[in-house]
Amino acid sequence: MTTRAELRAENRPRRPLLRSFRFWIPVGIVLLLLVLAVAALLVGKPVYDRAMSAKTSLEKAMPLAMTAKSQIVSGDTEAAQATAAELAALTADAREQTDDGLWKSLEWVPVIGPNLHAVRTAAAVTDDLVTGAVAPATNLSLDALAPVDGAINIAAITDMQSLVERAAATVDKAAGDLGTIDRDALIPQVEGALTKLTGAIEDLQPLLGPAKEIISVLPAALGADGPRNYLTIFQNNAESRGTGGNPASIVMITADQGRISITEQATSYDFNNRRDEPVTALNPETVALYGDKVGRYISDTTMTPDFTESVEIIRAYWAESFGTPVDAVVSFDPVALGYLLRATGPTTIPAQTVEVDGYEVPVFEEPITLTSENAVPLLLNEAYWRFPDGQLQDAFFAAAAGSVFQALTSGNVNPKVLLDSLMLAVEENRLLYSPANEAEAELLGESKLSGRLPSTNQERTLVGVYVNDFTQSKLDYYMQLDVAATSTQCSAPEAPTFTTTATLTNTVTPEQAPDLPYYIAPARYFDKGTVATDLVFYGPVGSALTSVTVDGQAAKVSGVQHLGRGAVKVAVENAPAQTHTVTAVFTGEPGSYGTFDLQHTPMVRTVGEQLTSEGCE
């Protein structure tokens, strides 16, 4: 039985180049093994002495490689450059000791010769990697990606691009040089060590290639070729939808020559809702599962787990109401906003007023401090207690968004913490991005950032559980979701089954329910404190629904096909303190499947997860 942690380890995205141990220590250990193995075979003392000298240099180089890595990640450029200089001197010595005439003259000797050639080539490759990749990397700084006074330095990113291109070229050349070695003539010790070095280089290539491509599109993304408009939607997890929550707040962010600014803001009240017909043509399969309300209410556009579907509808709404050109669409939620505040530090929301019937009404008279600790409870719950009017709430949310945006673009941001925060948001499906053009779309592929479910089971066999509130409340702040999934793709590949269970608990107590404010629990259609939810289950690509149970009893629901997968929607109602458990079973097609994985709606509360793949190693 494979645990979820093990499965995640198998399918964990590679770390960025500067944080990857593969980049920093492929060489020291490998070459040490090479040198020792060959030196033991040599009869010439001068060659032996040179081998020992190279061994000494490499032993000193290994800890320096780790030191340089730590210094670069921490942003200590000056210290990293000094360490890289020491490292380069040591690898240059190892190269010199294995590159003299005596060493080369013995490369024709049977058995010993091919091994000497392999060691010399590996030493040269190591030195090239240090001088062509490690040393240039000391000039890279995450600070170049941080805005200063509302702008990002495009020239600095262009310089970064040239450094990454140089590193990529160095690694490609190293792979080519190692490819010239005749492996059949090598002794096992040298062959084994050389395989490790080759593997390290092969790991570097898929890291550097995408890094080079991503950096190459950044200048245009920042408006180097003209203004770039990003429609940014904030999904309110207190009212759950498939990809997060009700997209009640929408902001247009414009990048022009590196300068970033908020150019328009809107709420759900700014769009034509309750319309008779959808704002744009909808996928019939989507309508069969969710109904056509995904295109009739802006608040329901994010019900489907496929962010690309939501984006098409949101773009249509924006074009109808505002008409401003949209290049790309970004989705964020308040939980991820809390992550960003770890990088910016606390922000201050100034006192606000709003015009109501021609009068200026104070939203709040004293500044409010927003921190990484209070962002979620303040934005997703306390605001509805403090501001009983929807217009006042919208004014508060807009002020909060502006405050955080100001903090992010001011320059007082910890770049490393910001990068870590963004990576966590992507991992939890809280940050989604719909690209502006085909080049960006190709880079994103079907990554988590794209918000697209995998179109095949080849790399990742994904099942999903998605939450859509239909209470018309903000009670999902109190809802606890726990999910578990089991696959027989390895134990029964001829007819694999995929079982997904969702347990949904309403943590509101019967005593708390009567005092909940109107905007949290309006009790419009259900008793106060009761939460009505559509749980939507998806099987893998090519699957079909087999059965559904609710609290162990068979449910009368029908499965459909959506996004090439079996899918089913199950409605449950949770009164205060009540729990319901829903299990859906899907049968897959015969064949091979990639790593088993589970995805769910990003909730306010941490979701309990359990993943089991029977019979998989």
Side-chain angles (χ1 to χ4, degrees):
M1 181 178 296
T2 305
T3 67
R4 179 169 179 77
E6 291 169 337
L7 288 168
R8 277 188 180 275
E10 294 174 7
N11 201 39
R12 183 179 295 122
R14 297 185 182 276
R15 294 182 174 184
L17 174 62
L18 294 181
R19 303 176 65 219
S20 173
F21 284 88
R22 297 181 180 87
F23 186 72
W24 300 102
I25 54 171
V27 230
I29 296 174
V30 171
L31 281 185
L32 180 59
L33 292 172
L34 289 171
V35 169
L36 289 176
V38 174
L41 297 174
L42 298 179
V43 293
K45 187 176 184 302
V47 175
Y48 177 82
D49 290 342
R50 290 182 180 278
M52 290 300 99
S53 177
K55 167 183 173 293
T56 300
S57 293
L58 291 170
E59 285 177 334
K60 294 178 180 178
M62 282 187 287
L64 285 177
M66 294 300 299
T67 300
K69 172 257 180 186
S70 299
Q71 290 167 337
I72 290 179
V73 170
S74 66
D76 192 347
T77 302
E78 185 175 346
Q81 290 174 343
T83 302
E86 291 184 61
L87 182 61
L90 291 168
T91 56
D93 177 71
R95 183 175 193 162
E96 181 181 356
Q97 299 300 338
T98 59
D99 199 36
D100 74 317
L102 177 59
W103 189 289
K104 291 179 181 178
S105 69
L106 293 174
E107 290 185 4
W108 63 269
V109 177
V111 181
I112 293 178
N115 290 277
L116 288 173
H117 173 71
V119 171
R120 179 168 62 84
T121 301
V125 164
T126 299
D127 190 44
D128 287 342
L129 285 173
V130 171
T131 58
V134 177
T138 62
N139 294 308
L140 294 175
S141 174
L142 295 177
D143 290 338
L145 301 178
V148 178
D149 296 329
I152 295 177
N153 189 338
I154 294 179
I157 292 177
T158 302
D159 292 340
M160 182 185 294
Q161 180 181 352
S162 65
L163 289 174
V164 173
E165 286 177 348
R166 178 183 173 187
T170 298
V171 171
D172 289 342
K173 180 180 182 301
D177 291 343
L178 292 177
T180 65
I181 297 174
D182 181 8
R183 301 294 184 92
D184 293 336
L186 302 183
I187 61 175
Q189 296 95 323
V190 174
E191 163 61 20
L194 199 64
T195 297
K196 292 180 181 179
L197 178 57
T198 302
I201 302 255
E202 289 175 347
D203 284 341
L204 276 175
Q205 286 179 302
L207 291 173
L208 280 168
K212 181 175 66 174
E213 293 172 346
I214 289 171
I215 292 176
S216 71
V217 303
L218 275 181
L222 292 169
D225 303 327
R228 178 74 71 87
N229 290 329
Y230 296 92
L231 195 63
T232 306
I233 64 173
F234 293 92
Q235 300 201 45
N236 187 331
N237 313 87
E239 187 175 355
S240 291
R241 297 291 187 271
T243 52
N246 176 355
S249 180
I250 302 178
V251 175
M252 177 69 82
I253 296 176
T254 300
D256 189 5
Q257 299 301 316
R259 184 160 297 279
I260 305 170
S261 59
I262 293 178
T263 50
E264 289 178 285
Q265 288 185 275
T267 71
S268 56
Y269 297 107
D270 295 312
F271 301 94
N272 179 16
N273 295 295
R274 299 180 182 273
R275 58 201 310 138
D276 294 330
E277 297 294 332
V279 68
T280 188
L282 302 176
N283 180 345
E285 290 186 351
T286 303
V287 174
L289 186 57
Y290 297 99
D292 67 355
K293 64 181 180 178
V294 297
R296 295 192 299 111
Y297 296 85
I298 188 76
S299 59
D300 289 328
T301 55
T302 51
M303 295 181 75
T304 166
D306 184 359
F307 185 57
T308 59
E309 280 196 305
S310 299
V311 165
E312 290 181 8
I313 304 170
I314 292 171
R315 280 177 175 270
Y317 266 111
W318 186 267
E320 178 185 73
S321 297
F322 290 88
T324 313
V326 175
D327 293 299
V329 180
V330 182
S331 174
F332 222 58
D333 71 16
V335 178
L337 195 68
Y339 298 160
L340 291 187
L341 287 167
R342 298 174 185 174
T344 66
T347 68
T348 300
I349 308 173
Q352 297 288 312
T353 61
V354 63
E355 184 176 320
V356 178
D357 297 329
Y359 296 94
E360 288 294 323
V361 178
V363 181
F364 47 94
E365 298 180 352
E366 297 293 332
I368 295 176
T369 299
L370 194 64
T371 71
S372 59
E373 290 77 22
N374 73 6
V376 170
L378 182 57
L379 295 173
L380 294 181
N381 186 253
E382 293 173 21
Y384 301 107
W385 293 83
R386 298 177 66 165
F387 312 118
D389 177 84
Q391 195 170 357
L392 299 181
Q393 293 164 10
D394 289 341
F396 170 69
F397 293 140
S403 173
V404 175
F405 181 82
Q406 175 63 29
L408 285 170
T409 57
S410 66
N412 297 320
V413 178
N414 184 316
K416 182 178 182 300
V417 177
L418 178 61
L419 179 61
D420 289 342
S421 298
L422 291 173
M423 291 174 62
L424 178 59
V426 172
E427 177 63 23
E428 295 181 355
N429 302 298
R430 300 185 187 278
L431 173 58
L432 307 173
Y433 180 73
S434 176
N437 51 53
E438 288 299 322
E440 290 182 2
E442 187 174 347
L443 286 176
L444 283 180
E446 293 178 343
S447 65
K448 283 193 171 186
L449 182 61
S450 74
R452 300 170 59 193
L453 272 61
S455 57
T456 72
N457 300 316
Q458 184 174 359
E459 298 291 332
R460 190 162 64 122
T461 302
L462 185 71
V463 296
V465 179
Y466 303 96
V467 179
N468 281 294
D469 174 85
F470 63 93
T471 322
Q472 291 191 15
S473 70
K474 300 297 185 291
L475 282 166
D476 280 323
Y477 179 83
Y478 302 95
M479 297 300 285
Q480 175 63 47
L481 174 67
D482 297 292
V483 293
T486 302
S487 161
T488 65
Q489 63 193 61
C490 295
S491 59
E494 69 286 351
T497 59
F498 303 88
T499 303
T500 307
T501 298
T503 300
L504 199 59
T505 301
N506 185 351
T507 67
V508 174
T509 67
E511 294 74 23
Q512 291 173 318
D515 296 327
L516 292 172
Y518 176 82
Y519 274 92
I520 289 179
R524 187 179 294 116
Y525 305 107
F526 302 91
D527 292 338
K528 200 170 185 67
T530 293
V531 185
T533 307
D534 280 333
L535 287 172
V536 186
F537 294 79
Y538 284 78
V541 173
S543 65
L545 180 69
T546 302
S547 64
V548 173
T549 60
V550 178
D551 298 330
Q553 302 298 313
K556 296 180 179 180
V557 293
S558 300
V560 298
Q561 287 291 308
H562 187 227
L563 306 175
R565 304 162 176 271
V568 64
K569 180 174 68 177
V570 183
V572 295
E573 292 181 24
N574 285 75
Q578 192 172 39
T579 296
H580 286 300
T581 298
V582 182
T583 298
V585 180
F586 297 89
T587 301
E589 299 173 334
S592 59
Y593 288 82
T595 304
F596 189 43
D597 200 7
L598 171 65
Q599 185 169 295
H600 57 77
T601 294
M603 306 289 286
V604 178
R605 295 168 177 260
T606 301
V607 176
E609 302 177 29
Q610 183 178 351
L611 193 65
T612 304
S613 187
E614 297 177 356
C616 295
E617 296 181 359

